Amino acid sequence: PAQVYFHGGYWRALDKSTYRFMALSMAPAGIATVLVNYHLCPAVTLDDIVGQSIAAVAWVYRHGADHGCDPQRLYVSGNSAGAHLAAMALAQDWRAQGLPADLIKGACCITGIYDIAPVLRIDANAEIRLTPDMVVRNSPLMLPLPAKPPVIVAVGGDETPLWIKQSTDYAAMLR
């Protein structure tokens, strides 16, 4: 199987190298982990990042077999902003790209941002440059799911009530 992992960093920090341990821990179980980098805000918008992430998942589906991955066992995961990107992949209409609707077989979303509207009101938005119309397009909590694979929604033990509520609300929506 292949796990496509999106890193956190509030769409404006970190990169895949921080999460090398994911690939190293999954390999002994026979799981190929694809760590995805994406351009960061403010150089790009959240729309751009979501587009890059969707393109990465599609690439793994189309080309993963060339690298020993089974495209019929493709999973997505991530933490924080990365969980948001994994959730956006779940909300993607893959058929519009000529791919199977059930391309993603499961997901693990850890302490994600599923309703991004609160970002409009925080200082970090000076770099993220989120607009109200982007909120509508990029809030997984508000988007339909074309397919419904199993999803693990988790939060870290020291998270704030807001992050816990985001995860609880997303898990409820998935049910």
Side-chain angles (χ1 to χ4, degrees), residues 122-141:
I122 62 173
D123 292 342
N125 197 40
E127 290 181 77
I128 299 168
R129 299 180 297 130
L130 191 64
T131 63
D133 60 312
M134 291 166 122
V135 168
V136 173
R137 288 190 298 274
N138 294 297
S139 287
L141 192 57

Side-chain angles (χ1 to χ4, degrees), residues 5 7-9 13-20 35-38 40:
Y5 187 84
H7 68 82
L14 304 177
D15 68 30
K16 67 182 182 180
S17 66
T18 307
Y19 296 92
R20 286 183 40 185
L35 301 172
V36 177
N37 258 353
Y38 47 86
L40 301 174

Side-chain angles (χ1 to χ4, degrees), residues 13-163:
L14 304 177
D15 68 30
K16 67 182 182 180
S17 66
T18 307
Y19 296 92
R20 286 183 40 185
F21 71 92
M22 295 291 294
L24 296 173
S25 64
M26 296 290 178
I31 300 168
T33 302
V34 179
L35 301 172
V36 177
N37 258 353
Y38 47 86
H39 293 105
L40 301 174
C41 298
V44 297
T45 67
L46 187 56
D47 286 335
D48 296 325
I49 293 170
V50 169
Q52 291 171 9
S53 301
I54 297 305
V57 173
W59 188 94
V60 172
Y61 180 81
R62 289 182 174 121
H63 303 283
D66 299 336
H67 302 277
C69 300
D70 180 355
Q72 301 308 314
R73 297 190 299 160
L74 180 66
Y75 298 82
V76 296
S77 58
N79 72 296
S80 189
H84 165 263
L85 297 173
M88 289 300 293
L90 290 172
Q92 176 69 23
D93 179 5
W94 294 106
R95 291 172 299 174
Q97 294 189 41
L99 299 171
D102 65 345
L103 178 141
I104 296 171
K105 302 305 182 205
C108 181
C109 301
I110 306 164
T111 311
I113 307 164
Y114 307 109
D115 175 3
I116 61 172
V119 175
L120 290 168
R121 299 183 299 276
I122 62 173
D123 292 342
N125 197 40
E127 290 181 77
I128 299 168
R129 299 180 297 130
L130 191 64
T131 63
D133 60 312
M134 291 166 122
V135 168
V136 173
R137 288 190 298 274
N138 294 297
S139 287
L141 192 57
M142 314 304 173
L143 299 174
L145 293 176
K148 299 192 191 258
V151 180
I152 296 169
V153 180
V155 294
D158 292 330
E159 296 298 344
T160 65
L162 173 62
W163 294 129

